[in-house]
Amino acid sequence: MRSKGDEEADIDRLPVDLLAHIFSLFTSFKDLAQGSGVCRKWRQGVKESLARRESLSFSVWKMDDESTTRLVHLAYSLKELDISRSRWGCQITDHGLKQLSMAKCIGNLSSISMWGSTGITDKGVVQLISRATSLHHLNIGGTFITDASLFAIADSCPHLKTIVLWGCRHVTEDGLLALVNKCRKLESINVWGMRVPLDCFIGLLTISPALQIQPKGMLLNDENLHAWPVH
């Protein structure tokens, strides 16, 4: 029969790459944090598991600026980041977005969701977006952003394909026109609950006739279209 000491020695002999694979299967960030506190080798295994991840979602976890950015800074291969806010979940602020903007993976992200993050403003969004130049999908619905954020998106995200602006009531037609004019690969835009005139949507379709304006009920007939300036 093996002694307790022998069992612990077996655990200690696990290679770091195997530990990293095991930790990559964890879905609880709390468990990862506890695992990293066991010993130096396990801490290295957690770090390597995060470095391999291509997707991270904090939407159902109680995370703050520090805990979120600490994990993202270790996720060198990250492609998709979800920092949406839920009732008990991630509650990131402009300070957190600033810290995230300095992570090595930000320039390679293809998807970011900040859905419902009421603690962020244009200041933080602009700092993050200015470095997220590979974005294809962006969900920033349910926030208090203004045209300033859309101008930054238009200037920094030439590959953008979809954007959700659900309930962004401080965005005006100027921001939408700038976005569609500059993001020529844009395929879909969700504008539910926004306070912009219907003529604005006509203008967006004039610039990009194939653009899908969501929800679908907001699409207008071609006979209503009239020319808007293309900048």
Side-chain angles (χ1 to χ4, degrees):
M1 178 180 290
R2 291 188 177 186
S3 67
K4 183 178 180 181
D6 290 335
E7 291 176 354
E8 291 176 344
D10 285 343
I11 293 175
D12 289 340
R13 284 197 290 269
L14 285 176
V16 173
D17 59 343
L18 179 56
L19 285 171
H21 174 71
I22 294 171
F23 287 132
S24 70
L25 303 176
F26 283 29
T27 58
S28 168
F29 296 111
K30 181 179 180 181
D31 290 343
L32 282 177
Q34 292 175 338
S36 67
V38 170
C39 63
R40 183 178 301 175
K41 193 173 185 179
W42 280 38
R43 185 178 303 113
Q44 183 61 33
V46 170
K47 287 184 178 180
E48 291 192 15
S49 74
L50 287 169
R52 299 176 184 181
R53 295 201 180 198
E54 294 188 356
S55 177
L56 282 176
S57 175
F58 303 109
S59 61
V60 297
W61 300 102
K62 192 172 183 179
M63 307 286 289
D64 57 17
D65 289 338
E66 299 303 324
S67 57
T68 301
T69 55
R70 184 166 58 249
L71 292 173
V72 172
H73 273 261
L74 295 172
Y76 305 123
S77 302
L78 199 63
K79 300 294 184 183
E80 300 176 355
L81 175 62
D82 185 352
I83 49 176
S84 302
R85 179 180 179 178
S86 61
R87 184 177 182 183
W88 305 112
C90 186
Q91 298 186 22
I92 202 160
T93 69
D94 283 343
H95 176 66
L97 294 185
K98 179 180 179 181
Q99 290 180 309
L100 286 176
S101 71
M102 295 181 283
K104 292 181 179 180
C105 65
I106 296 301
N108 296 322
L109 290 180
S110 62
S111 176
I112 296 178
S113 177
M114 294 179 272
W115 169 265
S117 298
T118 55
I120 63 175
T121 68
D122 290 324
K123 181 180 179 181
V125 173
V126 170
Q127 287 182 308
L128 179 65
I129 291 300
S130 64
R131 295 202 57 208
T133 54
S134 298
L135 277 186
H136 288 182
H137 311 285
L138 176 62
N139 186 342
I140 201 167
T143 64
F144 299 121
I145 63 164
T146 71
D147 288 343
S149 289
L150 262 64
F151 293 151
I153 296 167
D155 290 336
S156 304
C157 305
H159 307 293
L160 193 66
K161 293 183 178 180
T162 67
I163 185 169
V164 176
L165 297 169
W166 188 98
C168 293
R169 299 191 174 188
H170 299 290
V171 169
T172 72
E173 54 265 41
D174 291 337
L176 291 174
L177 287 169
L179 180 72
V180 176
N181 263 312
K182 291 189 176 182
C183 296
R184 289 299 187 171
K185 296 182 180 180
L186 193 63
E187 299 172 357
S188 174
I189 180 170
N190 189 313
V191 294
W192 190 93
M194 295 180 64
R195 295 173 175 173
V196 292
L198 290 178
D199 278 355
C200 174
F201 303 130
I202 298 174
L204 299 183
L205 291 174
T206 302
I207 298 169
S208 180
L211 180 66
Q212 297 181 27
I213 299 178
Q214 305 292 340
K216 292 183 178 180
M218 301 191 72
L219 290 175
L220 304 175
N221 295 327
D222 289 346
E223 63 185 11
N224 292 325
L225 298 180
H226 57 81
W228 273 58
V230 178
H231 302 290

